Amino acid sequence: MTAPEPVERTPGPAWARRRAAARRAWGEFTRHRAGVLGLGVLVLVIALAALAPLITDADGVDVTRATGGRLEPPGGRYWLGTDESGRSVLLLVLWGARISLLVGLSATLLSIAIGTVVGILTGHFGGWGSALLMRLTDFFLVLPSLVLAIALSTVIGPGVGTIVLAIGVTSWPSAARLVRAQTLGVEARPYIERSRALGGGHLHVIGKHVLPGVLPLVLVNTTLAVGTAIVAESTLAFLGLGDPVAISWGSMLRSASNSGAVTAGAWWYLVPPGLAIAVVVLAFTLCGRAMESVLNPRLRER
Amino acid sequence: MTDALTTVEPPAAATPRGGGGGTLRYVLSKVGAALISLGLIVVLGFVLFRVLLPGDPVRTLTRGAPVTPEGAAALEREYGFDLPLWGQFTRYLGNLAHGDLDRSLVFKVPVAQKIGERLGPTLLLVGVGTLIAVVLGLWLGTRTAWRRGSRFDRTATGIALALWSAPTFWLGLVLLTATGGLFPSGGITYPDTPPDFLSQALDTAHHMVLPTITLVAVVYAQYQLVMRSSLVEEMHAEHLLTARAKGLRDDEVRRRHAVPNALLPTVTLVFLHLGLVVSGAITVETVFSWPGLGLLTFEALRFPDYPLLQGTFLVLAAAVVVMNLVADLLLRVLDPRVRAS
Amino acid sequence: MTLLQLRDLHVRYPGEHAVAGVDLALAAGETLGLAGESGCGKSTLAMSVLRLLPPTAEVDGEILFDGEDVSTMSWGRLRAVRWAGASVVFQGAMHALNPVHRIGEQIAEPIRVHSPKTPPARVRERVAELLAQVELPADRAGAYPHQLSGGQKQRVMIAMALACDPKLVIADEPTTALDVVVQAQVLDVLTRLVTDHGIGLLLISHDLAVLGATCGRLAVMRRGRVVEEGPAHRVITAPTHPYTRTLAAAFPTIGDPASRYNPATAGEPPVAGTEAVGEELLTIRDLRVTFGATAAVAGVDLSVRAGEIVALVGQSGSGKTTLARTVLGLRKPDSGQVLFDGKPVPTSTKGLKAHRKQVQLVLQDPTSALNPRHTVHEAVAEGLRIHGVRGDEADLVRAALTDAELRPAEKYLGSLPHELSGGQRQRVVIAGALALSLRLLVADEPVASLDASVRGEVLALLLRLRARLGLATLVITHDLGLAWNIADRVAVMHRGVIVEHGPVEDVLLRPHHDYTRSLLAAVPRPDAGRTAEPRADQGV
C-alpha cells in the first residue's frame, strides 16, 4: 500500500452534509407556493401573539376596565366591534392567539413525544412487550378521543393544563402508528442488518439509523398535528373544559355562543375567532403538506 | 418435465388458496381483540369515574349542595361508595351485566333509560351524515385524483382543506347566524307539529338540515383528502401499465384497476377514524340542541353528572370498537390483500 | 415478412437520451434477444413499441408494426393493436398483476376487451386452455396473485400474453428474480409456446446466456445504441464489439479451465492464491435452525479454513441465507455448533460484538446495504466507531478503501451512495468490513444484483484479498459459475441439508447427487442454442 498523500478535503463531518441537505430541502420547499404562504402566515401570527403585550395595552382585555358598549358593531373605534362586556374583539383575538398557540404546541409536543417513543420501541423491539404496547396503541387509536378527553378533564377539573394533557394523551396513538410504520420500514432495510453485523447494538442502530430516518416524518407530523390540536383546544374550551378566565379563541366562541351573539346576529364576535382558528390551522396544514412532499417526491403532484 | 414444474418451487409458495383455517383464525383474533378492547373500555370507565375522581364522593355527586347525614348515607349506599374499591368494581361489573348504569343525577332516571331515549336521534343524524359524507368524499376524492393539478382539483381540495381546518361547532354557529331563522335553531321537532308520521318526518327533516350540513362538511373533507392521496398513490402501481398494454381505455384502467384498489384501504381508514364522527356528533348536537347522545354528554358535562358521563363514555366507545370489528371482517371478505398479510 | 421494424428510433426523457438511434427488424415467428445492462435503454425501447412510455418521453423515428406506424396510430387503432397484435410479459410479475383481482379475471380481461361478443362460457374455456398451456391447473383461475409463487405468477403473465393470439410477444426480463431451475422452466414454456404458435418474440435480458439459449438472433445495446447484432450463436462465441466480449466473458462456462480462478476483469488477472489456505477457521457441526415449524437448516456440517474460499450453493429457500446469518450470530441455532477459531460463537452481547470484529457480512444489494444518508466515510467508519478502534479514523478509512480497490480513496470519502455505481457501492461495503480485524467474510450473493461487467471485478477483488491478506470467504450463491470462478470448495445445499460437497472440480465436473446435476443442467448454455431441460427427479 502506498503512503496516502496528504488530504486537503476532510470528509466533512456530518454537519456539512446536513447543512447541504437542509439547503436542498429548503430550496425544494420554496417551490411549493401554498407551503410558503402557510409559513408566512404562521410567522406573522406567532410574531403578533408574542408581541401582543408590547404592541397593545393589556388593560383592554380586563373586563372591569372595558370601555366599549355591549356587542357594539365594528366601527372606527373598535374595528371588529366589542364583546358582551364591551372589550375590543380585535384585541381579544390577538391575545387569544397566545393561549391557543401555546396549548396547540405543547399538546402536540406531548403527543408526538409519546408517539415517537412508543413507535420506535414497538418498531425496533419485537416480542410480547411490543405486541402489548401495540394493542394498547390500537385501543387508544380507536377510542373516540373527544369522549376520552371530556372524561379526563371532568376528572382532573377544567384548566389550560387539563386541555394540554387531554389532547396530548388522546392524540399520541396516530403518531405512534406512523412512527412505527416508518421504523419498520427502516428496520427492514439491509443496512440495518449490516450495522448489526458490524457489531452495532440497539442504541447504535436506533441512534444512527432509525432516529435520523424517522425524524423528518416526525417533523411533518408535528406540523400537521398542531393544527388538529388547536381545533381540539377550541372544541374543549367551547364545551367549557378550559380555564374560565383565560382568553383563547375557543373560550371566545364559548362566550359568544353563551351571550346570545348568535341570536343577536353579532357576527363580528363570532366570525373573527373562528376564522383565526381556521386560518392558522390551514397554515399549519399547508406547511406540513409542503414538507411532506419535499420528503416524499412521489407525493409531489398532490 | 411436467412433474418437475410443480415440485422444485419453494414449499412455502405451494400452499393453495388462503384456506378456511386462516379465515377462522383471522375472525377469532379480530373478535378476541375487540373483546379485549371492550374489556379495557369497561375498566377505563371504572378507573376514570371511580378511582381517579377526586374528593369526597358524596360532595362530588351533590356538587357540595347541603345534604342531611341520612341523605348522604343513602346516596353512598345507592352508588356503592360505602364499599371498598374492589367491591365497587364487582358491583359495577354486576350492574353492567344487567345493563344497569346507575341513576342520573340530573335527570333522576336510570342512565341506561336516558341513553336509550337519546340513541335514536344520534343514529339518525350520524347515519345520514356519514352516508352523505362517505359518498361525497369518495366521489370528490376520486375526481380530484383523476384530474390532479386541474382547476377543479385545486378548488375542491382547497375547500376540503379549509373545511377540515375549521372547528365543527364554529361552522354550526356561523351557519345558524347566516341562515338567520330559515331553519329551526334547535331540537328535533316543534312541539305543535301534528303527531301523524308524515308531519313528524317532514318536521324532523327540516330540523336536521343544518346539523347534517355541519357534520358532513367536516367529515367529508377528511374522506376526500384520504381517497385522493390513496388513489394518487395507486396510480403509480405497475399493474396499471399491464392494464394499459391490454388495450383498455384510460377510464377503464382507472375504473377497473385503480379505483377499487384505492377504495378498500380508504374505507378501512374511514372506519378507523369513526371516533372523529362521534366527536363531530357531540359538538354538532350541542350547537343545535339535537337531543342525541352528544347533547346528553354535554348536559352531563355541565352538571357534572358522573354516572351519566360514565354511561355515555361506555356506550360511545363500545360502539366505535364494534363498528371497527365489523369493518375489519368486511374488509377481509372484500380485499384479498388483507388475506395475504 | 417483417413484423416489427424500428427505424432510427430515439427516445428522450428530460435530461436523458435513453434510446439514441436504433434500427432493428424482427420477422414473423422469429425470436430476437435484446441484451444490455441496467440503464442501457432496452426496456424503454420495448415499451415504445406499444406506446407505453410515460408522457415525459419524446419519441422520434419510425416504429412499424405489421407495416403500420405505431407512432401515428389513432388511439382506437392503438388500443386494438395492444395485446391483440402485440402483448407484453412484464418484468416482475409480482407487481404487474393486480393484487385484488383473481388471475382468471385478469387473463380473461383482454379477451373481453378485444372480442366483447365472446360468450362467457367460451371465455372460461379459453382461460382454462391458456392455463393448461403454461402447465398450471385450471382451478388456479380462482387464485389471487399473492397465492402463487414467483414462477407461477410469471406463467400467468405468459398465459395472459397469449390470450388474444398476438403476432408478437415482448418479454421484458421475464425471469429475473427467479431461481435457476424455475428460470429454466419458465423460459422453456415461453419458447415452446412461441415456437408452437409461430409468434414473434422480443426477449429482453441482462443475461447473455439466457438470450443465447432462447433466441435465434441477438442485439446488444449499450447507452441507447445497438453495438452489435447477429445470429445468437455467432454473437456469443465470436463477438466483434469489445463490449459484447466483456458481457460474454462475464458468465464463465463451467469446466472451462481459462476461467478457473480467473473471473473476467478489465484489469490485471488475479492470482489463485491457494497457498494462503491454512488451519480450520470456521467449523459447523450438525447445525439446525428452525422458524416455527419449518427447519431452515436441518443438520449441516461445513468448514472453512483460513484463507479458503468456500461456495455454498443452492436455490432460494434452501436455507443457505439462514446459515450465513447463524455464522454471524444474527440467528440462534436450535442445536449443533458453530465454532470460530475453535471456540463457539458467543451468545452474550459483548461476546458477539467481539466476534463480529473478525467475521463480517456482505449483502446482495449494496444499494440498500448502505444508509442513503451516510457518506462513504461514515459508512466505512461505522464499524470503527462501534468498536472504538484506536488510531486516526481518517487514515484507517482511507486504508480500508484502498484495500477494497477504491483508489484514490480521497475521491470517494465525501460521496453519498447514490452518487456511486453498483460495483463501487459493493466495494464500500467490503471496505467497511476490511476496516475491522477481519478474518472471515460471509458474502451473501455478493454479485447477484450487479451488472455483468462489474461482476468479474468484485470477484477478482475477493481473490486478491485472499492472496494478499489471507482472508477466508464463505460465498453464498445460486450461481454455479461464481463457484467455478473463485471457490476452492463448494457445498450444495437443498432443503436445509448439504447434499454434496468437495473441491470445485469434483462437484461441478463429476456431480454425484441428482440435485447437483439438475442445478448444473438448468444453467443456460449460450452455445447450446436451447435450454437444457432440468431433470424431473429432484424429490417430492
Side-chain angles (χ1 to χ4, degrees), chain B residues 188-219:
Chain B
I188 188 163
T189 47
Y190 289 118
D192 52 356
T193 307
D196 64 291
F197 178 76
L198 187 68
S199 318
Q200 287 284 333
L202 280 176
D203 192 27
T204 307
H206 189 211
H207 277 79
M208 255 181 87
V209 172
L210 288 185
T212 310
I213 291 178
T214 313
L215 191 62
V216 168
V218 182
V219 180

Side-chain angles (χ1 to χ4, degrees), chain B residues 162-163 166-176 213-214 217-218 287-288:
Chain B
L163 286 175
T168 320
F169 65 91
W170 178 68
L171 280 180
L173 291 174
V174 169
L175 265 179
L176 262 182
I213 291 178
T214 313
V218 182
V287 169
F288 294 99

